[in-house]
Amino acid sequence: MAAALAAQGLHHRVQQGMPRGDVHGVAFLQLRGTWDSAPERAQYRHTHWVGLHRDGGVLSVYDCNAGSAGGWLPAEEWKSQVLAELLERHRGAPGKWAVRVVLEVLSR
């Protein structure tokens, strides 16, 4: 993903977990489940990338799986509509997830 940003001429910084304050970038999510104790490479089968935009405390998530919703959704709608469906597809997922890393796009 870092290479894709660079190919578009976008500078970014890597942040572990979800950063505080305003943010615009992409997040690498880890779906939690029975695979949590597996080697990291095996855990990657249960990950997902989304776009993030938080301005003034309002968080929106872009997900290509949002379908007719148009991609960008308020975070709570994304969790209840899109994330819930993704978690259902991962057998052994108890409904938990975490932000592994965020690639925050920096202003030029």
Side-chain angles (χ1 to χ4, degrees), residues 7-46:
Q8 295 301 310
L10 299 171
H11 299 283
H12 70 279
R13 72 174 150 207
V14 177
Q15 302 215 29
Q16 298 299 317
M18 186 65 176
R20 297 174 192 240
D22 293 346
V23 64
H24 183 76
V26 291
F28 188 48
L29 308 180
Q30 177 69 58
L31 307 180
R32 309 308 304 222
T34 55
W35 50 83
D36 286 352
S37 59
E40 190 170 24
R41 239 178 117 100
Q43 293 179 33
Y44 284 161
R45 286 182 276 166
H46 306 281

Side-chain angles (χ1 to χ4, degrees), residues 1 3 12 19 23 26 36 38 40 47-48 52 58 67-68 75 78 82 96 101-102 105-106:
M1 190 60 73
H12 70 279
V23 64
V26 291
D36 286 352
E40 190 170 24
T47 59
H48 187 64
L52 293 177
V58 178
S68 62
W78 171 78
V82 183
K96 296 182 180 177
V101 68
V102 171
V105 175
L106 304 173

